[in-house]
Amino acid sequence: MDLSLNYYFAVVQRVLGLLLMIFSTSMLVPMVMGLAYGDGEADAFAIGFVITLFTGLVTWLPVRHVRRELKIRDGFLVVVLFWLVLSLFGAVPLYLAERPDISVTDAVFEAVSGLTTTGATVLVGLDTLPHAVLFWRQLLHWMGGMGIIVLAVAVLPMLGVGGMQLYRAETPGPIKDSKLTPRIRETAKALWYLYLSLTALCALVFWLAGMSVFDSVSHGFSAIATGGFSNHDLSLGHHDDAIIEIAAIVAMVVGSISFGMHFAVWRSANPLTYWRDSETRTFLLMVVGATTLGSIVLLVAGTYVSLPNAVIKSMFQVVSIGTTTGFTTTDYSLWPSFLPMFLLLGSFVGGCAGSTTGGMKVVRFILLAKQGTREISRLVHPNAEIPIKMGGKVIPDRVIQAVWGFFAVYITVFVVMFLVLLATGLDELTAFSAVAASINNLGPGLGEVSSNMASLPGIAKWVLCMAMLLGRLEIFTLLVILTPAFWRR
């Protein structure tokens, strides 16, 4: 390895060490929570904090004097390495805890699911687990929701490390060059102030609706992050309260709209800005349409006899599954007709680009539909120049090509993982829904994984961990570092 390559990795190593030390401090919160409630497991988080901090320090110290602006390749490598390492260290306190008593595989699965805001769980008996463990799961959701990298780029410039490349690698969606403010540090701050404010407001509403302080904060973390973890085995169905369900619906919708759009609305003080945005408008219309269809099916089948009840239940699951949050108030896998599969397939769309949701994002499907329409028009007018527009702006062909490429790779990865899970002995429905729930960062599936994924074989859980990471980093960010071209000088 030549000097330049050593120097190249030293820069990445320095950033990774800094980020790991920052992450270690988050373990102090559940440690304090464990001490406050006195139900155990504070020691597990104290040990996890020491291990993570020490590892970050040892990683950072040898290269602390290295100074070089991060390039695009550096950004991708740091993001991928950090998410992989973060998942492993996030699993440490879960593995060390006496309750739950879980394997390394299950601890890593739970940590990956939390950080990627997937919400799939291998834990049962959530209602009896220590508060420290429950809060750590929710905190992982919250940090993963906007991306710990976005938080880091607000801090790292003060330490001499630029952040635009990290922001571009982390932010979900097909168009990643737009910024809310001229400077990346200010952009990251704006995103997190907005994220923090919406989380606090959501927690307050949950508390006013009747949740305990602990539950309201925990579910506020999970709802805005569109994560889906809950402190109860029955999820939000534990509370059996229509007001809480409505509050959760609003919170999930808010988390599913681009935070750039939220910022634009706040800055313009005009809520109509939401409706003027084609992606947000399409997303809201899809929710209304799916809710209407679901309500009709539930009423006709006699699952619910009251129209308001059918509408609320239908809207809750449409929003929860469609936004890849994964909260439940009932076992939707038992709903009649095509509804369970209809909802699961809706998770492939997800929410808006720039939101905390998973899936392929609404904007990509809009562009795919427009491209399909253009190709049909070209059959009639082969020589016509037909631009694709969104919001009155012409979309460059390179973006359209990137969307098609993303779609093709997404489906290919899905099929490969689906076949691998079938090879482990799972039935078709369970394997299909498990991969869909993981790569779309959804959480609950169908078949054996409708409530949790504890029964899956170990190899299947590791495959699904990879699916969750691929989904959270939108496929290309993770796959790009595996290409020979990435490593060429």
Side-chain angles (χ1 to χ4, degrees):
M1 185 180 292
D2 59 29
L3 181 61
S4 62
L5 200 54
N6 275 322
Y7 184 68
Y8 169 76
F9 281 114
V11 174
V12 176
Q13 179 182 336
R14 177 173 177 266
V15 176
L16 188 62
L18 288 170
L19 294 175
L20 204 51
M21 286 189 286
I22 292 171
F23 177 68
S24 70
T25 61
S26 64
M27 297 185 186
L28 297 176
V29 181
M31 183 190 75
V32 172
M33 196 73 65
L35 292 173
Y37 280 92
D39 53 4
E41 308 311 340
D43 290 348
F45 289 94
I47 296 172
F49 163 72
V50 172
I51 292 174
T52 307
L53 179 63
F54 178 76
T55 305
L57 193 62
V58 169
T59 302
W60 172 76
L61 278 175
V63 292
R64 63 187 182 280
H65 297 304
V66 174
R67 291 289 188 276
R68 179 171 67 80
E69 180 66 21
L70 285 172
K71 300 183 183 300
I72 293 177
R73 290 196 305 175
D74 305 337
F76 281 116
L77 190 58
V78 168
V79 168
V80 171
L81 286 177
F82 187 61
W83 275 85
L84 291 173
V85 172
L86 195 67
S87 299
L88 294 176
F89 281 90
V92 169
L94 294 175
Y95 176 70
L96 294 177
E98 294 183 7
R99 290 186 301 153
D101 183 13
I102 55 178
S103 65
V104 172
T105 296
D106 284 352
V108 172
F109 183 95
E110 200 75 11
V112 172
S113 181
L115 280 167
T116 58
T117 71
T118 302
T121 184
V122 292
L123 303 182
V124 293
L126 295 174
D127 299 80
T128 62
L129 288 181
H131 286 77
V133 172
L134 292 175
F135 194 79
W136 179 238
R137 296 167 75 245
Q138 306 299 94
L139 189 58
L140 287 174
H141 259 353
W142 192 73
M143 291 187 293
M146 277 289 289
I148 191 111
I149 302 301
V150 177
L151 173 63
V153 298
V155 178
L156 292 183
M158 293 184 293
L159 305 175
V161 179
M164 186 62 210
Q165 291 76 19
L166 297 183
Y167 177 76
R168 291 176 61 189
E170 169 65 14
T171 306
I175 305 173
K176 304 190 179 197
D177 294 327
S178 59
K179 301 188 291 288
L180 308 182
T181 61
R183 297 176 61 85
I184 181 59
R185 178 180 168 187
E186 296 304 316
T187 296
K189 281 187 176 181
L191 287 170
W192 271 96
Y193 287 149
L194 182 61
Y195 190 57
L196 181 62
S197 300
L198 289 173
T199 303
L201 180 60
C202 180
L204 177 62
V205 172
F206 277 143
W207 178 70
L208 293 174
M211 280 190 181
S212 67
V213 173
F214 182 79
D215 265 7
S216 61
V217 173
S218 297
H219 288 91
F221 282 175
S222 194
I224 291 298
T226 60
F229 273 160
S230 176
N231 298 330
H232 309 284
D233 287 323
L234 295 178
S235 190
L236 288 185
H238 169 85
H239 299 279
D240 193 22
D241 190 313
I243 301 299
I244 289 178
E245 291 176 29
I246 293 172
I249 289 171
V250 174
M252 290 185 288
V253 168
V254 168
S256 303
I257 296 173
S258 167
F259 276 72
M261 183 57 56
H262 290 317
F263 184 84
V265 170
W266 174 79
R267 189 164 53 183
S268 66
N270 184 7
L272 290 178
T273 305
Y274 286 122
W275 190 251
R276 291 169 185 161
D277 177 66
S278 57
E279 185 186 21
T280 306
R281 183 172 63 251
T282 301
F283 167 70
L284 295 175
L285 290 174
M286 289 172 64
V287 169
V288 172
T291 298
T292 302
L293 179 60
S295 301
I296 293 173
V297 174
L298 291 174
L299 285 171
V300 171
T303 305
Y304 299 101
V305 295
S306 166
L307 177 60
N309 199 23
V311 170
I312 290 176
K313 297 297 183 183
S314 174
M315 179 173 285
F316 183 91
Q317 290 306 147
V318 163
V319 171
S320 180
I321 304 302
T323 64
T324 72
T325 304
F327 284 141
T328 58
T329 55
T330 183
D331 190 350
Y332 82 97
S333 67
L334 301 178
W335 276 4
S337 188
F338 62 88
L339 281 183
M341 186 57 69
F342 173 72
L343 292 174
L344 183 67
L345 292 176
S347 69
F348 280 91
V349 179
C352 302
S355 69
T356 60
T357 59
M360 295 190 221
K361 305 299 183 296
V362 173
V363 65
R364 286 195 176 97
F365 279 86
I366 294 175
L367 293 176
L368 287 173
K370 287 179 178 290
Q371 169 67 358
T373 303
R374 180 169 69 171
E375 292 305 314
I376 293 174
S377 298
R378 280 176 171 172
L379 292 176
V380 181
H381 306 286
N383 297 322
E385 291 292 334
I386 308 173
I388 293 178
K389 295 182 178 181
M390 278 192 66
K393 297 181 179 179
V394 176
I395 304 298
D397 281 342
R398 66 178 179 82
V399 173
I400 304 298
Q401 292 168 2
V403 169
W404 274 112
F406 176 86
F407 183 78
V409 174
Y410 202 96
I411 297 302
T412 301
V413 170
F414 177 90
V415 170
V416 170
M417 290 187 167
F418 170 57
L419 293 175
V420 172
L421 258 64
L422 285 179
T424 66
L426 297 177
D427 63 87
E428 288 84 353
L429 180 62
T430 299
F432 180 90
S433 65
V435 177
S438 298
I439 200 169
N440 294 332
N441 302 135
L442 165 60
L446 302 172
E448 294 180 23
V449 294
S450 61
S451 55
N452 62 70
M453 298 195 178
S455 63
L456 296 181
I459 184 64
K461 292 175 183 175
W462 284 107
V463 170
L464 296 179
C465 283
M466 180 58 68
M468 289 186 279
L469 288 169
L470 282 167
R472 182 66 182 93
L473 296 175
E474 301 217 332
I475 306 292
F476 286 143
T477 303
L478 188 53
L479 292 184
V480 70
I481 69 168
L482 303 178
T483 62
F486 180 85
W487 299 100
R488 292 195 190 106
R489 290 183 57 191

